[in-house]
C-alpha cells in the first residue's frame, strides 16, 4: 500500500502521462482473496491511494493460487463491473502457470494476460503456448521478468528464488558468455524480450 501511496503523490498532476496498472487478489506473501467483495473494496482503496478515479489496467494477480471456478464466475465479473463503471480501462489476469492462465481465459473474457519467467534467454514457452492462444482470442500479452527474477544478472538470483540449481547455473553461464564478449547480460536479455513482435 505504501508504494501506491507514494506513486499517487508522484503522479499528482501527471496522471494522464502514464499507463497505470495495479493488481488485486493477492495481498501478501500468503494472503489471497479473489471474492467479488474484496476485489471491489481493494480497487476502491487503490484508487484512493493512487489519487485517481481509474487505472488503465486492473489485474487479478497470481490466479493459480485461487480457485478457477471462483476466478471465472466471481473475480473477473467483478473486475468487468469495475471496468463498466469506468474504474479500469482494461482487465487481465497474471500468473506463472500458462496452462492455468489459458484455462481461465478460455472460460471468461479478459483483455490481457501477464506471465513471468516464461520468455527470456532461458525459456521461450510463452511464445509457443500462450502467444498463439492470445492471438486467437484477441488478448494482449505482457511478458514479465525478462531477467528471470534476477537470474540473468551478474549478481544472480536472490536467495529466496524458487528456481532449481540447474536453472541458476544456466543463467550464470549466459552472463559469463556475455561478459566474455563485452556485452551486458541484463541489457541483452531485455533487448531479447523487447524485440518480441507479439508482446
Amino acid at each position: 500500500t505504501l508504494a501506491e501511496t507514494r506513486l499517487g503523490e508522484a503522479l499528482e498532476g501527471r496522471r494522464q502521462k502514464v499507463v497505470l496498472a495495479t493488481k488485486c487478489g493477492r495481498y501478501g506473501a500468503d494472503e489471497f482473496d479473489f471474492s467479488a467483495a474484496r476485489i471491489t473494496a481493494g480497487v476502491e482503496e487503490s484508487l484512493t491511494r493512487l489519487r485517481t478515479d481509474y487505472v488503465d489496467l486492473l489485474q487479478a494477480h497470481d490466479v493459480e493460487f485461487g480457485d478457477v471456478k471462483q476466478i471465472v464466475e466471481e473475480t473477473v465479473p467483478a473486475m468487468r463491473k469495475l471496468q463498466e463503471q469506468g474504474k479500469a480501462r482494461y482487465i487481465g489476469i497474471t500468473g506463472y502457470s500458462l496452462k492455468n492462465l489459458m484455462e481461465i481465459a478460455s472460460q471468461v473474457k479478459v483483455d490481457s494476460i501477464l506471465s513471468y519467467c516464461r520468455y527470456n534467454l532461458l525459456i521461450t514457452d510463452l511464445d509457443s503456448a500462450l502467444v498463439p492462444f492470445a492471438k486467437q482470442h484477441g488478448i494482449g500479452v505482457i511478458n514479465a521478468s525478462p531477467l528471470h527474477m534476477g537470474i540473468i544478472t551478474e549478481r544472480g538470483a536472490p536467495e529466496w528464488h524458487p528456481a532449481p540449481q540447474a536453472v541458476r547455473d544456466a543463467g550464470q553461464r549466459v552472463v559469463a558468455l556475455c561478459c566474455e564478449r563485452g556485452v551486458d547480460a541484463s541489457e541483452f536479455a531485455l533487448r531479447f524480450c523487447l524485440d518480441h513482435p507479439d508482446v
Side-chain angles (χ1 to χ4, degrees), residues 17-180:
K17 296 180 179 182
V18 300
V19 174
L20 184 59
T22 194
K23 299 174 185 174
C24 59
R26 183 171 193 163
Y27 302 98
D30 297 312
E31 184 183 344
F32 300 89
D33 187 344
F34 292 100
S35 68
R38 184 65 184 111
I39 296 301
T40 303
V43 169
E44 295 294 349
E45 293 162 7
S46 288
L47 293 176
T48 298
R49 285 189 294 268
L50 291 165
R51 300 181 185 191
T52 186
D53 55 357
Y54 76 98
V55 293
D56 296 290
L57 176 60
L58 173 63
Q59 302 166 100
H61 186 42
D62 283 345
V63 292
E64 65 262 30
F65 292 98
D67 175 67
V68 169
K69 187 176 190 317
Q70 182 184 33
I71 303 291
V72 168
E73 295 179 3
E74 187 176 350
T75 308
V76 174
M79 294 167 67
R80 190 65 72 191
K81 186 174 181 183
L82 289 161
Q83 183 184 39
E84 291 165 0
Q85 294 169 354
K87 295 178 181 179
R89 291 183 62 212
Y90 300 98
I91 64 168
I93 54 177
T94 81
Y96 178 75
S97 168
L98 299 179
K99 180 181 177 188
N100 181 261
L101 292 165
M102 291 185 294
E103 179 184 1
I104 291 167
S106 67
Q107 295 179 53
V108 65
K109 175 74 175 129
V110 295
D111 301 314
S112 71
I113 297 175
L114 177 153
S115 191
Y116 62 96
C117 293
R118 302 311 291 247
Y119 185 85
N120 55 54
L121 293 177
L122 298 178
I123 187 169
T124 59
D125 61 349
L126 180 127
D127 199 36
S128 59
L130 183 59
V131 168
F133 172 87
K135 280 184 175 181
Q136 179 184 358
H137 292 86
I139 300 170
V141 175
I142 301 171
N143 177 31
S145 198
L147 304 181
H148 212 85
M149 292 171 38
I151 285 182
I152 308 172
T153 64
E154 287 188 31
R155 182 181 62 244
E159 287 187 28
W160 55 262
H161 200 296
Q165 191 60 47
V167 173
R168 293 167 181 261
D169 293 345
Q172 290 308 291
R173 285 195 301 277
V174 168
V175 170
L177 286 169
C178 287
C179 285
E180 288 170 14

